[in-house]
Amino acid sequence: MRRAIPRMLIAALLLAAALPGDGSAKDLGVRGATWPVAEPDLLAQIESRLIEMDRSGELARLEQEARADARRKLEEPDPAPGIAPVREERSRLLDPAITVARDIRTSDGTLIAAAGTRVNPLERMTLARDLLFVDGRREAEIAWALSREKESARPSKIVLLAGRPLELMRRHRRAFFFDQGGRLAARFGLRFTPVLVVQDGTQLRITEIPVDDRKDPGSEAGTSPEDED
């Protein structure tokens, strides 16, 4: 039994046969007014604008402002939002466990943790250093952190939530870290400084410790929400 030729194919063949095949197609000419395409060259416009800015000195001014702004951000990054001085000592525990959003595998495909798994890093490792979170704009907090670091038997890391880390490094000839974007402050729920963070079993103990800043010229850097009540 012969296969039926699809109807669409038959229609296409009939249409092709009906069209002239002797090159008799005609040039119908041009109807209506025409204009050449005159779109501006975007790259040429940009180059022209840059040349104009260079000649006027505007480009050099913008470059200088950009360098100065970058330098300011490096010298004094944006502080963690909403921090204020501690007025009363308080302590709480924080569970650092996280829930894995997607499967975690090694390079050879071995599954380490499936999506939805709750993982606590302190169950497999220990916190190598205590963390001292301070407002670097308050000299009393810097003095507290340096003193505690010197007196403690455990190593620690000083983390600024505000202030000028490079200036402090130059003055004290030691490393100061900065919580860029306030990510750690948000993760640990920090609203006050100074704060001591240590490992307590499989949790983190967060202790807010007030310091005497009556002679501290930077003591007005933050206002505690407790003082606003």
Side-chain angles (χ1 to χ4, degrees):
M1 181 178 179
R2 292 183 302 173
R3 297 176 60 186
I5 301 176
R7 294 175 61 187
M8 292 297 294
L9 178 57
I10 294 175
L13 292 173
L14 292 175
L15 180 60
L19 294 175
D22 57 356
S24 58
K26 297 180 180 179
D27 183 357
L28 300 178
V30 177
R31 296 188 179 185
T34 61
W35 294 269
V37 177
E39 293 183 2
D41 188 327
L42 180 59
L43 292 178
Q45 282 189 327
I46 294 174
E47 183 179 5
S48 175
R49 175 59 178 153
L50 287 174
I51 292 174
E52 179 183 341
M53 292 173 65
D54 187 37
R55 289 173 177 170
S56 67
E58 183 180 359
L59 187 60
R61 180 182 60 79
L62 292 175
E63 290 175 350
Q64 186 175 2
E65 288 179 356
R67 286 194 296 267
D69 185 61
R71 182 65 181 178
R72 282 193 298 270
K73 291 291 187 182
L74 188 62
E75 286 285 347
E76 187 170 8
D78 293 333
I83 58 171
V86 172
R87 297 306 181 197
E88 179 183 355
E89 183 167 338
R90 290 178 295 191
S91 183
R92 58 187 170 87
L93 289 173
L94 174 70
D95 183 355
I98 61 172
T99 301
V100 179
R102 59 178 181 274
D103 291 349
I104 299 178
R105 299 179 180 273
T106 61
S107 57
D108 62 359
T110 303
L111 181 66
I112 298 177
T117 303
R118 196 167 180 272
V119 178
N120 185 342
L122 295 183
E123 293 177 352
R124 302 184 181 183
M125 57 177 289
T126 58
L127 193 64
R129 300 184 183 186
D130 296 342
L131 302 176
L132 309 174
F133 290 91
V134 298
D135 182 340
R137 299 169 297 188
R138 302 177 65 217
E139 288 295 334
E141 295 193 21
I142 296 297
W144 168 83
L146 292 172
S147 175
R148 192 208 177 274
E149 183 183 51
K150 183 177 180 180
E151 296 171 359
S152 176
R154 277 182 52 80
S156 56
K157 178 183 294 186
I158 301 176
V159 183
L160 304 181
L161 296 185
R164 302 171 66 87
L166 297 184
E167 178 183 320
L168 290 170
M169 288 182 190
R170 291 190 290 264
R171 190 197 314 170
H172 297 284
R173 298 183 180 276
R174 52 146 300 137
F176 285 86
F177 300 87
F178 197 96
D179 183 16
Q180 291 284 353
R183 293 181 179 86
L184 290 176
R187 176 72 180 90
F188 296 155
L190 305 183
R191 297 177 56 213
F192 304 97
T193 59
V195 170
L196 168 64
V197 178
V198 301
Q199 183 172 349
D200 188 343
T202 58
Q203 299 187 82
L204 294 174
R205 179 165 294 280
I206 300 174
T207 305
E208 300 170 358
I209 304 173
V211 296
D212 185 1
D213 61 355
R214 286 173 294 183
K215 297 181 181 180
D216 186 354
S219 61
E220 300 300 323
T223 301
S224 171
E226 298 173 352
D227 297 338
E228 297 175 356
D229 295 335

